[in-house]
Amino acid sequence: LSLFAMLAVMCVAPRTVSADGDGGVWIFAGQSNMDPGRQFDAFADQVRQVLPDRELALIGNRRSGNPIESWDPKAERGGPGWQQIVEQIDKLDDKSRVAGFVWYQGESDADSRERATAYERKLKALIARVRGLVQKPDLPVIIVQIASAQRTGVGQWATAYVREAQRRVAQSDEHVALVTAIDLEIGDAIVHLSKDAKEQIGRRQALAALTLVYGKKGVTHGPQFHRAVFADNKRDVVFVEFKGVAGKLKLSEGWRQAFALLPGIDTPDDLADWPDPLALTPLHKTIVSPRHAQVMAPNKVALVFDRPIGEADRIGWAVTPNATYGLQRRWAMEFAGLTDDTGIIAAAFGPVAVGAHAGDGPASVDALRAKVKHDPSPAFDPSQPFVIGINGIGQSPQYALKPDEEA
């Protein structure tokens, strides 16, 4: 095999990372961002901090640049990724020791309508196959919501489709947890996480495992979207509520670029019926960003828009291709602006419809509108690129650093 081929397909033998006690076997699978080095070590270290007497065996396989079909035995070539999982599990003396399955893949499915819109169905089928293989119908599963995946064209919106599919799968199954990578640092000009980002995602996976598998109370792994509802019948103020919030939601620089109102986008309940992502590219020029946002409760954010939201409009968080990168991006991430007390960003969601108004009272809502009315700052123009980098966040056609500058 060439060096490239050896890097592209990697199986990792079981590795014991703690001692005294049985924390079970974890199966990791995915594309190249599923790193059996730093990610495994960070996962184990985070679990060990809370459960120092647990022994974990971590098994992984990764296939760089492969779509989810590679883990489908009915697909072309017989699903080589799936064959690897089967071989690894067959080598275990006791399949009942499998504690959970960690999945980090999706970047290669954000390249076409066919793959992106089918992702939810295929991911559910994969989870069912893994559970059947180990004979555990409720086997805990941790899904990583992909970071920056595709660059231009169809991938700008197909990435949002894949992220939303991953969120929906987790939302529909109480034994599945979602951890997001949307704010993590990209270490090259493609899609790969930096070394520090790999450690961060490993720790987030472990936080989910501590809750999902080991029953630790009070451990969270980042805010998760719950619902979006109108504040009243004027339809210009939206309350967005989250689950899994540690302490209280926090807004910081970057929130305006990440929240978006998408006018006239048809998103049926079944993601498989969503429009061609390439056809959504012109929407980037018509996206409406909120004029004001405010944390209204520990788990609720109010968004105030300049106009009423129509029946055909949708909202989302981290769905638009807003970030602008240089050829080297290891100092840049894609989104920022909404976290909780852990500092972990809220997982991406949307586009979603806004539900009927919650009726929190006209006084509080009118106060929000008044803040916008007296706000002299111009509305954010989503048709212009923005930059997140070591020089901060701003609306500018220039990169935070030139490709040849030192970070």
Side-chain angles (χ1 to χ4, degrees):
L1 289 176
S2 67
L3 176 60
F4 174 80
M6 287 188 290
L7 290 175
V9 180
M10 177 179 292
C11 291
V12 184
R15 185 148 62 100
T16 298
V17 292
S18 187
D20 301 323
D22 186 8
V25 177
W26 282 87
I27 307 297
F28 288 70
Q31 292 184 230
S32 52
N33 272 325
M34 198 291 297
D35 183 1
R38 289 176 177 268
Q39 195 174 137
F40 274 24
D41 290 341
F43 181 95
D45 181 67
Q46 187 69 48
V47 172
R48 195 163 41 217
Q49 288 181 24
V50 180
L51 301 171
D53 60 344
R54 291 297 180 108
E55 177 182 288
L56 306 176
L58 310 184
I59 302 174
N61 71 72
R62 64 177 180 180
R63 301 186 65 85
S64 298
N66 278 229
I68 196 171
E69 293 172 357
S70 291
W71 287 267
D72 183 353
K74 296 180 180 179
E76 187 178 355
R77 297 184 297 139
W82 175 249
Q83 294 173 17
Q84 290 173 353
I85 291 178
V86 172
E87 291 170 3
Q88 290 168 332
I89 292 179
D90 282 347
K91 291 178 182 178
L92 298 176
D93 294 333
D94 183 1
K95 293 181 181 180
S96 69
R97 288 194 62 224
V98 176
F101 176 58
V102 180
W103 178 248
Y104 190 172
Q105 188 277 340
E107 296 91 342
S108 289
D109 289 272
D111 64 354
S112 70
R113 180 189 186 278
E114 291 72 25
R115 285 179 173 170
T117 57
Y119 194 83
E120 180 181 4
R121 172 180 55 81
K122 291 182 178 180
L123 182 52
K124 286 182 176 179
L126 172 62
I127 291 172
R129 283 197 298 275
V130 173
R131 287 171 168 169
L133 189 61
V134 300
Q135 298 178 351
K136 287 187 174 183
D138 296 328
L139 180 75
V141 175
I142 298 170
I143 300 170
V144 178
Q145 190 179 54
I146 58 173
S148 176
Q150 297 290 334
R151 298 62 47 192
T152 58
V154 65
Q156 292 182 324
W157 286 99
T159 299
Y161 281 29
V162 171
R163 287 174 176 157
E164 175 65 4
Q166 292 168 330
R167 185 194 71 81
R168 288 181 176 206
V169 172
Q171 183 184 49
S172 66
D173 189 327
E174 63 179 337
H175 302 290
V176 177
L178 181 76
V179 298
T180 192
I182 63 171
D183 61 327
L184 297 184
E185 188 178 62
I186 299 298
D188 59 17
I190 312 173
V191 300
H192 301 113
L193 299 183
S194 69
K195 293 178 180 179
D196 288 344
K198 290 175 181 177
E199 292 180 1
Q200 290 183 64
I201 200 61
R203 293 189 180 279
R204 291 180 187 181
Q205 292 165 352
L207 291 173
L210 286 167
T211 302
L212 198 61
V213 177
Y214 303 115
K216 301 303 293 183
K217 305 296 183 183
V219 178
T220 61
H221 51 276
Q224 311 283 322
F225 173 75
H226 174 51
R227 65 173 185 168
V229 295
F230 290 111
D232 57 25
N233 57 14
K234 293 184 178 179
R235 302 176 65 94
D236 61 338
V237 179
V238 177
F239 292 145
V240 184
E241 300 174 6
F242 293 83
K243 301 179 294 184
V245 177
K248 184 179 181 180
L249 292 171
K250 299 178 182 296
L251 287 167
S252 59
E253 195 171 20
W255 66 263
R256 185 174 287 181
Q257 293 92 327
F259 275 117
L261 168 63
L262 300 99
I265 175 174
D266 182 22
T267 54
D269 291 340
D270 190 342
L271 200 148
D273 295 328
W274 281 21
D276 188 335
L278 189 59
L280 301 185
T281 301
L283 270 180
H284 191 50
K285 298 179 180 180
T286 61
I287 291 169
V288 178
S289 292
R291 284 297 307 276
H292 178 70
Q294 183 172 316
V295 176
M296 303 295 290
N299 70 327
K300 182 166 67 176
V301 173
L303 305 177
V304 186
F305 293 90
D306 278 336
R307 66 168 179 81
I309 296 175
E311 293 287 346
D313 297 343
R314 300 291 184 266
I315 70 164
W317 163 259
V319 297
T320 58
N322 281 329
T324 299
Y325 299 111
L327 295 178
Q328 297 172 332
R329 305 180 297 179
R330 64 176 308 117
W331 51 82
M333 63 277 218
E334 193 166 4
F335 294 105
L338 180 63
T339 61
D340 61 13
D341 286 351
T342 65
I344 299 175
I345 197 169
F349 72 84
V352 298
V354 182
H357 71 83
D360 269 31
S364 61
V365 177
D366 288 342
L368 290 171
R369 294 188 177 102
K371 289 186 177 182
V372 173
K373 185 177 180 180
H374 296 97
D375 182 4
S377 61
F380 175 76
D381 181 0
S383 68
Q384 296 296 315
F386 78 95
V387 176
I388 305 175
I390 64 170
N391 292 342
I393 303 173
Q395 189 157 348
S396 168
Q398 303 300 316
Y399 300 128
L401 288 178
K402 301 297 183 184
D404 57 351
E405 290 178 325
E406 293 294 329

mmCIF file with all atom_site columns, all heavy atoms in Angstrom, residues 50 210-212 214-220:
data_model
loop_
_atom_site.group_PDB
_atom_site.id
_atom_site.type_symbol
_atom_site.label_atom_id
_atom_site.label_alt_id
_atom_site.label_comp_id
_atom_site.label_asym_id
_atom_site.label_entity_id
_atom_site.label_seq_id
_atom_site.pdbx_PDB_ins_code
_atom_site.Cartn_x
_atom_site.Cartn_y
_atom_site.Cartn_z
_atom_site.occupancy
_atom_site.B_iso_or_equiv
_atom_site.pdbx_formal_charge
_atom_site.auth_seq_id
_atom_site.auth_comp_id
_atom_site.auth_asym_id
_atom_site.auth_atom_id
_atom_site.pdbx_PDB_model_num
ATOM 1  N N   . VAL A 1 50  ? -13.491 11.522 36.278 1.00 0.00 ? 50  VAL A N   1
ATOM 2  C CA  . VAL A 1 50  ? -14.734 11.336 37.021 1.00 0.00 ? 50  VAL A CA  1
ATOM 3  C C   . VAL A 1 50  ? -14.829 9.928  37.602 1.00 0.00 ? 50  VAL A C   1
ATOM 4  O O   . VAL A 1 50  ? -15.328 9.733  38.719 1.00 0.00 ? 50  VAL A O   1
ATOM 5  C CB  . VAL A 1 50  ? -15.943 11.618 36.106 1.00 0.00 ? 50  VAL A CB  1
ATOM 6  C CG1 . VAL A 1 50  ? -17.260 11.429 36.860 1.00 0.00 ? 50  VAL A CG1 1
ATOM 7  C CG2 . VAL A 1 50  ? -15.870 13.034 35.541 1.00 0.00 ? 50  VAL A CG2 1
ATOM 8  N N   . LEU A 1 210 ? -20.341 9.922  29.936 1.00 0.00 ? 210 LEU A N   1
ATOM 9  C CA  . LEU A 1 210 ? -20.533 9.924  31.385 1.00 0.00 ? 210 LEU A CA  1
ATOM 10 C C   . LEU A 1 210 ? -22.012 10.006 31.752 1.00 0.00 ? 210 LEU A C   1
ATOM 11 O O   . LEU A 1 210 ? -22.465 9.409  32.731 1.00 0.00 ? 210 LEU A O   1
ATOM 12 C CB  . LEU A 1 210 ? -19.754 11.090 32.007 1.00 0.00 ? 210 LEU A CB  1
ATOM 13 C CG  . LEU A 1 210 ? -18.241 10.906 32.069 1.00 0.00 ? 210 LEU A CG  1
ATOM 14 C CD1 . LEU A 1 210 ? -17.551 12.222 32.391 1.00 0.00 ? 210 LEU A CD1 1
ATOM 15 C CD2 . LEU A 1 210 ? -17.866 9.837  33.095 1.00 0.00 ? 210 LEU A CD2 1
ATOM 16 N N   . THR A 1 211 ? -22.760 10.760 30.967 1.00 0.00 ? 211 THR A N   1
ATOM 17 C CA  . THR A 1 211 ? -24.202 10.875 31.218 1.00 0.00 ? 211 THR A CA  1
ATOM 18 C C   . THR A 1 211 ? -24.967 9.690  30.649 1.00 0.00 ? 211 THR A C   1
ATOM 19 O O   . THR A 1 211 ? -25.782 9.061  31.322 1.00 0.00 ? 211 THR A O   1
ATOM 20 C CB  . THR A 1 211 ? -24.741 12.172 30.596 1.00 0.00 ? 211 THR A CB  1
ATOM 21 O OG1 . THR A 1 211 ? -24.037 13.286 31.139 1.00 0.00 ? 211 THR A OG1 1
ATOM 22 C CG2 . THR A 1 211 ? -26.220 12.328 30.884 1.00 0.00 ? 211 THR A CG2 1
ATOM 23 N N   . LEU A 1 212 ? -24.684 9.354  29.401 1.00 0.00 ? 212 LEU A N   1
ATOM 24 C CA  . LEU A 1 212 ? -25.474 8.370  28.661 1.00 0.00 ? 212 LEU A CA  1
ATOM 25 C C   . LEU A 1 212 ? -25.234 6.949  29.152 1.00 0.00 ? 212 LEU A C   1
ATOM 26 O O   . LEU A 1 212 ? -26.157 6.135  29.209 1.00 0.00 ? 212 LEU A O   1
ATOM 27 C CB  . LEU A 1 212 ? -25.128 8.483  27.174 1.00 0.00 ? 212 LEU A CB  1
ATOM 28 C CG  . LEU A 1 212 ? -26.076 7.881  26.142 1.00 0.00 ? 212 LEU A CG  1
ATOM 29 C CD1 . LEU A 1 212 ? -27.442 8.532  26.218 1.00 0.00 ? 212 LEU A CD1 1
ATOM 30 C CD2 . LEU A 1 212 ? -25.485 8.042  24.732 1.00 0.00 ? 212 LEU A CD2 1
ATOM 31 N N   . TYR A 1 214 ? -22.675 6.015  31.943 1.00 0.00 ? 214 TYR A N   1
ATOM 32 C CA  . TYR A 1 214 ? -22.237 5.803  33.323 1.00 0.00 ? 214 TYR A CA  1
ATOM 33 C C   . TYR A 1 214 ? -23.116 6.492  34.353 1.00 0.00 ? 214 TYR A C   1
ATOM 34 O O   . TYR A 1 214 ? -22.818 6.458  35.556 1.00 0.00 ? 214 TYR A O   1
ATOM 35 C CB  . TYR A 1 214 ? -20.778 6.240  33.468 1.00 0.00 ? 214 TYR A CB  1
ATOM 36 C CG  . TYR A 1 214 ? -19.859 5.507  32.512 1.00 0.00 ? 214 TYR A CG  1
ATOM 37 C CD1 . TYR A 1 214 ? -19.188 6.179  31.497 1.00 0.00 ? 214 TYR A CD1 1
ATOM 38 C CD2 . TYR A 1 214 ? -19.694 4.120  32.603 1.00 0.00 ? 214 TYR A CD2 1
ATOM 39 C CE1 . TYR A 1 214 ? -18.363 5.500  30.604 1.00 0.00 ? 214 TYR A CE1 1
ATOM 40 C CE2 . TYR A 1 214 ? -18.883 3.435  31.725 1.00 0.00 ? 214 TYR A CE2 1
ATOM 41 C CZ  . TYR A 1 214 ? -18.214 4.132  30.730 1.00 0.00 ? 214 TYR A CZ  1
ATOM 42 O OH  . TYR A 1 214 ? -17.409 3.452  29.843 1.00 0.00 ? 214 TYR A OH  1
ATOM 43 N N   . GLY A 1 215 ? -24.186 7.131  33.907 1.00 0.00 ? 215 GLY A N   1
ATOM 44 C CA  . GLY A 1 215 ? -25.193 7.652  34.817 1.00 0.00 ? 215 GLY A CA  1
ATOM 45 C C   . GLY A 1 215 ? -24.773 8.799  35.703 1.00 0.00 ? 215 GLY A C   1
ATOM 46 O O   . GLY A 1 215 ? -25.356 9.012  36.771 1.00 0.00 ? 215 GLY A O   1
ATOM 47 N N   . LYS A 1 216 ? -23.799 9.576  35.283 1.00 0.00 ? 216 LYS A N   1
ATOM 48 C CA  . LYS A 1 216 ? -23.349 10.706 36.091 1.00 0.00 ? 216 LYS A CA  1
ATOM 49 C C   . LYS A 1 216 ? -24.304 11.881 35.938 1.00 0.00 ? 216 LYS A C   1
ATOM 50 O O   . LYS A 1 216 ? -24.572 12.354 34.824 1.00 0.00 ? 216 LYS A O   1
ATOM 51 C CB  . LYS A 1 216 ? -21.931 11.131 35.697 1.00 0.00 ? 216 LYS A CB  1
ATOM 52 C CG  . LYS A 1 216 ? -20.900 10.033 35.836 1.00 0.00 ? 216 LYS A CG  1
ATOM 53 C CD  . LYS A 1 216 ? -20.851 9.470  37.253 1.00 0.00 ? 216 LYS A CD  1
ATOM 54 C CE  . LYS A 1 216 ? -20.345 10.476 38.261 1.00 0.00 ? 216 LYS A CE  1
ATOM 55 N NZ  . LYS A 1 216 ? -20.229 9.888  39.618 1.00 0.00 ? 216 LYS A NZ  1
ATOM 56 N N   . LYS A 1 217 ? -24.823 12.350 37.025 1.00 0.00 ? 217 LYS A N   1
ATOM 57 C CA  . LYS A 1 217 ? -25.746 13.473 37.016 1.00 0.00 ? 217 LYS A CA  1
ATOM 58 C C   . LYS A 1 217 ? -24.980 14.797 36.969 1.00 0.00 ? 217 LYS A C   1
ATOM 59 O O   . LYS A 1 217 ? -23.876 14.911 37.502 1.00 0.00 ? 217 LYS A O   1
ATOM 60 C CB  . LYS A 1 217 ? -26.644 13.442 38.255 1.00 0.00 ? 217 LYS A CB  1
ATOM 61 C CG  . LYS A 1 217 ? -27.412 12.135 38.432 1.00 0.00 ? 217 LYS A CG  1
ATOM 62 C CD  . LYS A 1 217 ? -28.397 11.897 37.295 1.00 0.00 ? 217 LYS A CD  1
ATOM 63 C CE  . LYS A 1 217 ? -29.214 10.636 37.528 1.00 0.00 ? 217 LYS A CE  1
ATOM 64 N NZ  . LYS A 1 217 ? -30.127 10.356 36.393 1.00 0.00 ? 217 LYS A NZ  1
ATOM 65 N N   . GLY A 1 218 ? -25.597 15.772 36.338 1.00 0.00 ? 218 GLY A N   1
ATOM 66 C CA  . GLY A 1 218 ? -24.996 17.097 36.301 1.00 0.00 ? 218 GLY A CA  1
ATOM 67 C C   . GLY A 1 218 ? -23.877 17.269 35.304 1.00 0.00 ? 218 GLY A C   1
ATOM 68 O O   . GLY A 1 218 ? -23.232 18.317 35.258 1.00 0.00 ? 218 GLY A O   1
ATOM 69 N N   . VAL A 1 219 ? -23.598 16.256 34.497 1.00 0.00 ? 219 VAL A N   1
ATOM 70 C CA  . VAL A 1 219 ? -22.572 16.354 33.453 1.00 0.00 ? 219 VAL A CA  1
ATOM 71 C C   . VAL A 1 219 ? -23.267 16.657 32.133 1.00 0.00 ? 219 VAL A C   1
ATOM 72 O O   . VAL A 1 219 ? -24.187 15.942 31.730 1.00 0.00 ? 219 VAL A O   1
ATOM 73 C CB  . VAL A 1 219 ? -21.763 15.046 33.345 1.00 0.00 ? 219 VAL A CB  1
ATOM 74 C CG1 . VAL A 1 219 ? -20.735 15.150 32.215 1.00 0.00 ? 219 VAL A CG1 1
ATOM 75 C CG2 . VAL A 1 219 ? -21.084 14.727 34.663 1.00 0.00 ? 219 VAL A CG2 1
ATOM 76 N N   . THR A 1 220 ? -22.847 17.701 31.461 1.00 0.00 ? 220 THR A N   1
ATOM 77 C CA  . THR A 1 220 ? -23.467 18.086 30.190 1.00 0.00 ? 220 THR A CA  1
ATOM 78 C C   . THR A 1 220 ? -22.418 18.189 29.101 1.00 0.00 ? 220 THR A C   1
ATOM 79 O O   . THR A 1 220 ? -21.221 18.305 29.380 1.00 0.00 ? 220 THR A O   1
ATOM 80 C CB  . THR A 1 220 ? -24.209 19.431 30.314 1.00 0.00 ? 220 THR A CB  1
ATOM 81 O OG1 . THR A 1 220 ? -23.261 20.447 30.675 1.00 0.00 ? 220 THR A OG1 1
ATOM 82 C CG2 . THR A 1 220 ? -25.297 19.363 31.380 1.00 0.00 ? 220 THR A CG2 1
#
